Amino acid sequence: MADTITHFTHPEHQLLLTHKSNKFWCDLCKTSGTGLRYRCETCDFDLHESCTTYPETLSFYAHPWHKLALADHSASTVGSSVCCDLCREPVKGFYYKCTPCGFYLHPHCSLSPRIVHSRFHPDHALMLVPTAGSCCACNKDLTVWTYRCGMCSVNLHYKCLFNSGNEGGSVGDDRAEASRKTQKSALTSKK
């Protein structure tokens, strides 16, 4: 972890790794934070440490046709009612977009693993797929992207899977942890 970085979202000045106990507003994801952050005092610009790791472009399995580019919602012309195509929550700060297709993705949603294990369905892994029906956790209608066990027809909302039992951590942290566990499990099973 470097003490200072230059970040493409704020190229005017270097950002200094700072630890303060007061709350701050992350200028990338538009959520609050406390503690460790990268900061430009001159511009009152803050980034969560984790938000500095998002690449400018990425390939994402749920939209394999084009690379997605990180864009600033406040500087865009797409309007205020844009939602992330994965979690269906409104886009506020920076987001990934596919201009030709109109596909939008929160940066933290880009950490979502393709395959997860869940306490709601411990018998089999769940895969993120586009589907319809109702959620087995909350019984509400599903949005486009759902974690699904095809063998058992078990469907879980994206939010039900990642927000359940979330005590103090961020959803992005849960996704990253699920992704790490899935990758570790896949490596272990290949041995």
Side-chain angles (χ1 to χ4, degrees):
M1 175 167 34
D3 288 341
T4 60
I5 62 168
T6 301
H7 197 265
F8 61 89
T9 60
H10 190 73
E12 300 86 13
H13 305 107
Q14 285 197 321
L15 304 177
L16 176 65
L17 184 62
T18 307
H19 186 282
K20 294 182 180 180
S21 58
N22 63 322
K23 282 190 174 185
F24 68 93
W25 190 254
C26 178
D27 288 289
L28 190 138
C29 69
K30 303 297 187 201
T31 63
S32 65
T34 57
L36 206 56
R37 76 209 64 184
Y38 280 95
R39 175 162 180 74
C40 174
E41 281 291 336
T42 306
C43 301
D44 189 26
F45 183 89
D46 296 288
L47 294 178
H48 290 112
E49 181 186 6
S50 60
C51 286
T52 65
T53 63
Y54 296 124
E56 288 185 71
T57 62
L58 63 81
S59 295
F60 189 63
Y61 61 87
H63 188 77
W65 303 278
H66 306 105
K67 281 197 169 208
L68 305 178
L70 198 61
D72 184 356
H73 189 306
S74 64
S76 76
T77 58
V78 294
S80 61
S81 62
V82 172
C83 290
C84 172
D85 284 299
L86 206 60
C87 72
R88 303 307 299 156
E89 291 292 318
V91 168
K92 295 179 183 167
F94 279 79
Y95 62 100
Y96 285 105
K97 71 174 182 176
C98 174
T99 302
C101 299
F103 183 87
Y104 304 103
L105 183 71
H106 288 120
H108 62 264
C109 288
S110 73
L111 301 175
S112 301
R114 179 179 266 177
I115 299 171
V116 298
H117 295 274
S118 169
R119 64 182 174 90
F120 290 115
H121 187 66
D123 298 335
H124 304 111
L126 303 169
M127 181 176 276
L128 188 63
V129 296
T131 192
S134 63
C135 176
C136 293
C138 69
N139 293 317
K140 293 182 181 174
D141 288 339
L142 296 167
T143 55
V144 176
W145 288 95
T146 305
Y147 279 96
R148 177 174 176 75
C149 172
M151 292 171 43
C152 302
S153 297
V154 169
N155 299 310
L156 287 173
H157 273 123
Y158 186 84
K159 287 188 237 179
C160 287
L161 180 66
F162 288 113
N163 288 338
S164 64
N166 189 6
E167 301 292 331
S170 75
V171 176
D173 292 342
D174 289 350
R175 286 187 201 110
E177 182 63 20
S179 183
R180 282 190 289 275
K181 285 180 181 175
T182 301
Q183 290 168 357
K184 184 177 180 182
S185 174
L187 291 174
T188 305
S189 66
K190 288 181 183 177
K191 291 181 180 178

mmCIF file of all heavy atoms in Angstrom, residues 69-98:
data_model
loop_
_atom_site.group_PDB
_atom_site.id
_atom_site.type_symbol
_atom_site.label_atom_id
_atom_site.label_comp_id
_atom_site.label_asym_id
_atom_site.label_seq_id
_atom_site.Cartn_x
_atom_site.Cartn_y
_atom_site.Cartn_z
ATOM 1 N N ALA A 69 -16.234 0.364 -19.530
ATOM 2 C CA ALA A 69 -15.368 1.495 -19.186
ATOM 3 C C ALA A 69 -15.925 2.208 -17.961
ATOM 4 O O ALA A 69 -17.136 2.427 -17.856
ATOM 5 C CB ALA A 69 -15.280 2.461 -20.359
ATOM 6 N N LEU A 70 -15.034 2.581 -17.050
ATOM 7 C CA LEU A 70 -15.451 3.317 -15.855
ATOM 8 C C LEU A 70 -15.788 4.747 -16.249
ATOM 9 O O LEU A 70 -15.030 5.411 -16.947
ATOM 10 C CB LEU A 70 -14.322 3.299 -14.821
ATOM 11 C CG LEU A 70 -14.698 3.634 -13.392
ATOM 12 C CD1 LEU A 70 -15.712 2.641 -12.828
ATOM 13 C CD2 LEU A 70 -13.463 3.645 -12.505
ATOM 14 N N ALA A 71 -16.950 5.217 -15.823
ATOM 15 C CA ALA A 71 -17.416 6.567 -16.162
ATOM 16 C C ALA A 71 -17.977 7.221 -14.901
ATOM 17 O O ALA A 71 -18.408 6.555 -13.970
ATOM 18 C CB ALA A 71 -18.504 6.489 -17.234
ATOM 19 N N ASP A 72 -17.998 8.543 -14.911
ATOM 20 C CA ASP A 72 -18.518 9.329 -13.795
ATOM 21 C C ASP A 72 -19.965 9.688 -14.087
ATOM 22 O O ASP A 72 -20.256 10.369 -15.065
ATOM 23 C CB ASP A 72 -17.670 10.587 -13.620
ATOM 24 C CG ASP A 72 -18.075 11.419 -12.421
ATOM 25 O OD1 ASP A 72 -19.066 11.089 -11.746
ATOM 26 O OD2 ASP A 72 -17.378 12.410 -12.159
ATOM 27 N N HIS A 73 -20.883 9.209 -13.249
ATOM 28 C CA HIS A 73 -22.304 9.469 -13.468
ATOM 29 C C HIS A 73 -22.611 10.966 -13.486
ATOM 30 O O HIS A 73 -23.432 11.427 -14.258
ATOM 31 C CB HIS A 73 -23.150 8.774 -12.409
ATOM 32 C CG HIS A 73 -24.617 8.824 -12.688
ATOM 33 N ND1 HIS A 73 -25.312 9.979 -12.917
ATOM 34 C CD2 HIS A 73 -25.531 7.834 -12.790
ATOM 35 C CE1 HIS A 73 -26.580 9.711 -13.140
ATOM 36 N NE2 HIS A 73 -26.733 8.416 -13.066
ATOM 37 N N SER A 74 -21.937 11.744 -12.639
ATOM 38 C CA SER A 74 -22.219 13.183 -12.579
ATOM 39 C C SER A 74 -21.823 13.900 -13.864
ATOM 40 O O SER A 74 -22.329 14.970 -14.157
ATOM 41 C CB SER A 74 -21.510 13.827 -11.377
ATOM 42 O OG SER A 74 -20.111 13.727 -11.527
ATOM 43 N N ALA A 75 -20.937 13.292 -14.654
ATOM 44 C CA ALA A 75 -20.518 13.901 -15.910
ATOM 45 C C ALA A 75 -21.191 13.260 -17.118
ATOM 46 O O ALA A 75 -20.894 13.595 -18.255
ATOM 47 C CB ALA A 75 -18.996 13.782 -16.061
ATOM 48 N N SER A 76 -22.128 12.333 -16.873
ATOM 49 C CA SER A 76 -22.728 11.596 -17.990
ATOM 50 C C SER A 76 -24.017 12.248 -18.467
ATOM 51 O O SER A 76 -24.581 13.117 -17.819
ATOM 52 C CB SER A 76 -22.994 10.148 -17.577
ATOM 53 O OG SER A 76 -24.133 10.083 -16.754
ATOM 54 N N THR A 77 -24.478 11.762 -19.591
ATOM 55 C CA THR A 77 -25.726 12.254 -20.181
ATOM 56 C C THR A 77 -26.819 11.183 -20.135
ATOM 57 O O THR A 77 -27.825 11.313 -20.800
ATOM 58 C CB THR A 77 -25.498 12.673 -21.638
ATOM 59 O OG1 THR A 77 -25.000 11.546 -22.361
ATOM 60 C CG2 THR A 77 -24.526 13.826 -21.727
ATOM 61 N N VAL A 78 -26.597 10.108 -19.333
ATOM 62 C CA VAL A 78 -27.552 8.997 -19.327
ATOM 63 C C VAL A 78 -28.768 9.255 -18.455
ATOM 64 O O VAL A 78 -29.718 8.496 -18.492
ATOM 65 C CB VAL A 78 -26.879 7.668 -18.894
ATOM 66 C CG1 VAL A 78 -25.854 7.232 -19.905
ATOM 67 C CG2 VAL A 78 -26.297 7.774 -17.509
ATOM 68 N N GLY A 79 -28.754 10.296 -17.667
ATOM 69 C CA GLY A 79 -29.914 10.604 -16.832
ATOM 70 C C GLY A 79 -29.760 10.082 -15.421
ATOM 71 O O GLY A 79 -28.880 9.288 -15.124
ATOM 72 N N SER A 80 -30.628 10.521 -14.564
ATOM 73 C CA SER A 80 -30.496 10.183 -13.151
ATOM 74 C C SER A 80 -31.140 8.857 -12.783
ATOM 75 O O SER A 80 -30.970 8.373 -11.679
ATOM 76 C CB SER A 80 -31.106 11.300 -12.304
ATOM 77 O OG SER A 80 -32.473 11.425 -12.626
ATOM 78 N N SER A 81 -31.897 8.243 -13.676
ATOM 79 C CA SER A 81 -32.622 7.022 -13.331
ATOM 80 C C SER A 81 -31.917 5.751 -13.800
ATOM 81 O O SER A 81 -32.545 4.727 -13.964
ATOM 82 C CB SER A 81 -34.031 7.072 -13.917
ATOM 83 O OG SER A 81 -33.960 7.144 -15.316
ATOM 84 N N VAL A 82 -30.616 5.795 -13.992
ATOM 85 C CA VAL A 82 -29.876 4.621 -14.430
ATOM 86 C C VAL A 82 -29.667 3.670 -13.261
ATOM 87 O O VAL A 82 -29.319 4.088 -12.159
ATOM 88 C CB VAL A 82 -28.508 5.041 -15.020
ATOM 89 C CG1 VAL A 82 -27.645 3.836 -15.301
ATOM 90 C CG2 VAL A 82 -28.710 5.852 -16.277
ATOM 91 N N CYS A 83 -29.909 2.387 -13.509
ATOM 92 C CA CYS A 83 -29.713 1.362 -12.484
ATOM 93 C C CYS A 83 -28.631 0.388 -12.932
ATOM 94 O O CYS A 83 -28.462 0.140 -14.122
ATOM 95 C CB CYS A 83 -30.997 0.569 -12.251
ATOM 96 S SG CYS A 83 -32.276 1.507 -11.436
ATOM 97 N N CYS A 84 -27.946 -0.171 -11.957
ATOM 98 C CA CYS A 84 -26.975 -1.228 -12.221
ATOM 99 C C CYS A 84 -27.744 -2.434 -12.758
ATOM 100 O O CYS A 84 -28.759 -2.837 -12.188
ATOM 101 C CB CYS A 84 -26.240 -1.576 -10.924
ATOM 102 S SG CYS A 84 -25.171 -3.015 -11.043
ATOM 103 N N ASP A 85 -27.266 -3.015 -13.853
ATOM 104 C CA ASP A 85 -27.957 -4.148 -14.452
ATOM 105 C C ASP A 85 -27.823 -5.429 -13.644
ATOM 106 O O ASP A 85 -28.569 -6.381 -13.875
ATOM 107 C CB ASP A 85 -27.467 -4.377 -15.890
ATOM 108 C CG ASP A 85 -28.053 -3.357 -16.835
ATOM 109 O OD1 ASP A 85 -29.290 -3.326 -16.964
ATOM 110 O OD2 ASP A 85 -27.289 -2.571 -17.420
ATOM 111 N N LEU A 86 -26.910 -5.455 -12.688
ATOM 112 C CA LEU A 86 -26.748 -6.657 -11.883
ATOM 113 C C LEU A 86 -27.609 -6.615 -10.623
ATOM 114 O O LEU A 86 -28.416 -7.506 -10.382
ATOM 115 C CB LEU A 86 -25.274 -6.821 -11.507
ATOM 116 C CG LEU A 86 -24.822 -8.233 -11.223
ATOM 117 C CD1 LEU A 86 -25.012 -9.129 -12.428
ATOM 118 C CD2 LEU A 86 -23.371 -8.234 -10.806
ATOM 119 N N CYS A 87 -27.469 -5.560 -9.811
ATOM 120 C CA CYS A 87 -28.201 -5.500 -8.538
ATOM 121 C C CYS A 87 -29.486 -4.686 -8.620
ATOM 122 O O CYS A 87 -30.284 -4.703 -7.692
ATOM 123 C CB CYS A 87 -27.308 -4.928 -7.437
ATOM 124 S SG CYS A 87 -26.977 -3.152 -7.585
ATOM 125 N N ARG A 88 -29.695 -3.959 -9.708
ATOM 126 C CA ARG A 88 -30.886 -3.135 -9.959
ATOM 127 C C ARG A 88 -30.999 -1.935 -9.025
ATOM 128 O O ARG A 88 -32.053 -1.346 -8.905
ATOM 129 C CB ARG A 88 -32.172 -3.972 -9.898
ATOM 130 C CG ARG A 88 -32.200 -5.151 -10.856
ATOM 131 C CD ARG A 88 -31.908 -4.820 -12.296
ATOM 132 N NE ARG A 88 -32.879 -3.878 -12.845
ATOM 133 C CZ ARG A 88 -32.634 -3.094 -13.874
ATOM 134 N NH1 ARG A 88 -31.477 -3.123 -14.475
ATOM 135 N NH2 ARG A 88 -33.557 -2.273 -14.315
ATOM 136 N N GLU A 89 -29.912 -1.542 -8.348
ATOM 137 C CA GLU A 89 -29.882 -0.341 -7.520
ATOM 138 C C GLU A 89 -29.456 0.839 -8.372
ATOM 139 O O GLU A 89 -28.717 0.678 -9.343
ATOM 140 C CB GLU A 89 -28.909 -0.520 -6.345
ATOM 141 C CG GLU A 89 -29.377 -1.529 -5.312
ATOM 142 C CD GLU A 89 -30.601 -1.054 -4.552
ATOM 143 O OE1 GLU A 89 -30.649 0.137 -4.176
ATOM 144 O OE2 GLU A 89 -31.516 -1.877 -4.336
ATOM 145 N N PRO A 90 -29.886 2.055 -8.021
ATOM 146 C CA PRO A 90 -29.500 3.240 -8.808
ATOM 147 C C PRO A 90 -27.992 3.467 -8.824
ATOM 148 O O PRO A 90 -27.300 3.164 -7.861
ATOM 149 C CB PRO A 90 -30.190 4.399 -8.080
ATOM 150 C CG PRO A 90 -31.235 3.778 -7.244
ATOM 151 C CD PRO A 90 -30.781 2.392 -6.913
ATOM 152 N N VAL A 91 -27.524 3.983 -9.938
ATOM 153 C CA VAL A 91 -26.126 4.353 -10.096
ATOM 154 C C VAL A 91 -25.979 5.792 -9.627
ATOM 155 O O VAL A 91 -26.752 6.656 -10.038
ATOM 156 C CB VAL A 91 -25.697 4.222 -11.580
ATOM 157 C CG1 VAL A 91 -24.354 4.857 -11.820
ATOM 158 C CG2 VAL A 91 -25.717 2.766 -12.005
ATOM 159 N N LYS A 92 -25.002 6.045 -8.765
ATOM 160 C CA LYS A 92 -24.796 7.395 -8.254
ATOM 161 C C LYS A 92 -23.432 7.950 -8.630
ATOM 162 O O LYS A 92 -23.322 9.011 -9.185
ATOM 163 C CB LYS A 92 -24.973 7.409 -6.739
ATOM 164 C CG LYS A 92 -26.388 7.089 -6.314
ATOM 165 C CD LYS A 92 -26.519 7.084 -4.825
ATOM 166 C CE LYS A 92 -27.940 6.676 -4.453
ATOM 167 N NZ LYS A 92 -28.075 6.354 -3.061
ATOM 168 N N GLY A 93 -22.381 7.267 -8.301
ATOM 169 C CA GLY A 93 -21.030 7.758 -8.542
ATOM 170 C C GLY A 93 -20.475 7.231 -9.852
ATOM 171 O O GLY A 93 -21.125 7.232 -10.892
ATOM 172 N N PHE A 94 -19.253 6.735 -9.782
ATOM 173 C CA PHE A 94 -18.646 6.113 -10.950
ATOM 174 C C PHE A 94 -19.312 4.772 -11.188
ATOM 175 O O PHE A 94 -19.809 4.132 -10.258
ATOM 176 C CB PHE A 94 -17.147 5.918 -10.719
ATOM 177 C CG PHE A 94 -16.335 7.156 -10.969
ATOM 178 C CD1 PHE A 94 -16.279 8.168 -10.026
ATOM 179 C CD2 PHE A 94 -15.635 7.317 -12.148
ATOM 180 C CE1 PHE A 94 -15.543 9.312 -10.246
ATOM 181 C CE2 PHE A 94 -14.902 8.461 -12.382
ATOM 182 C CZ PHE A 94 -14.848 9.466 -11.425
ATOM 183 N N TYR A 95 -19.323 4.354 -12.424
ATOM 184 C CA TYR A 95 -19.929 3.080 -12.784
ATOM 185 C C TYR A 95 -19.265 2.586 -14.056
ATOM 186 O O TYR A 95 -18.643 3.346 -14.794
ATOM 187 C CB TYR A 95 -21.439 3.221 -13.008
ATOM 188 C CG TYR A 95 -21.803 4.163 -14.143
ATOM 189 C CD1 TYR A 95 -22.144 3.660 -15.402
ATOM 190 C CD2 TYR A 95 -21.768 5.541 -13.981
ATOM 191 C CE1 TYR A 95 -22.461 4.515 -16.446
ATOM 192 C CE2 TYR A 95 -22.081 6.403 -15.020
ATOM 193 C CZ TYR A 95 -22.418 5.886 -16.242
ATOM 194 O OH TYR A 95 -22.714 6.730 -17.292
ATOM 195 N N TYR A 96 -19.374 1.298 -14.298
ATOM 196 C CA TYR A 96 -18.897 0.724 -15.556
ATOM 197 C C TYR A 96 -20.049 0.746 -16.542
ATOM 198 O O TYR A 96 -21.193 0.491 -16.179
ATOM 199 C CB TYR A 96 -18.404 -0.711 -15.354
ATOM 200 C CG TYR A 96 -17.069 -0.773 -14.659
ATOM 201 C CD1 TYR A 96 -16.973 -1.150 -13.328
ATOM 202 C CD2 TYR A 96 -15.907 -0.425 -15.332
ATOM 203 C CE1 TYR A 96 -15.746 -1.194 -12.685
ATOM 204 C CE2 TYR A 96 -14.676 -0.464 -14.696
ATOM 205 C CZ TYR A 96 -14.600 -0.854 -13.384
ATOM 206 O OH TYR A 96 -13.385 -0.884 -12.747
ATOM 207 N N LYS A 97 -19.707 1.042 -17.794
ATOM 208 C CA LYS A 97 -20.762 1.077 -18.808
ATOM 209 C C LYS A 97 -20.276 0.477 -20.117
ATOM 210 O O LYS A 97 -19.093 0.514 -20.445
ATOM 211 C CB LYS A 97 -21.227 2.503 -19.053
ATOM 212 C CG LYS A 97 -20.225 3.377 -19.771
ATOM 213 C CD LYS A 97 -20.808 4.735 -20.105
ATOM 214 C CE LYS A 97 -19.804 5.581 -20.859
ATOM 215 N NZ LYS A 97 -20.357 6.853 -21.275
ATOM 216 N N CYS A 98 -21.233 -0.062 -20.835
ATOM 217 C CA CYS A 98 -21.032 -0.476 -22.212
ATOM 218 C C CYS A 98 -21.903 0.467 -23.029
ATOM 219 O O CYS A 98 -23.139 0.350 -23.000
ATOM 220 C CB CYS A 98 -21.453 -1.922 -22.431
ATOM 221 S SG CYS A 98 -21.372 -2.396 -24.177
#
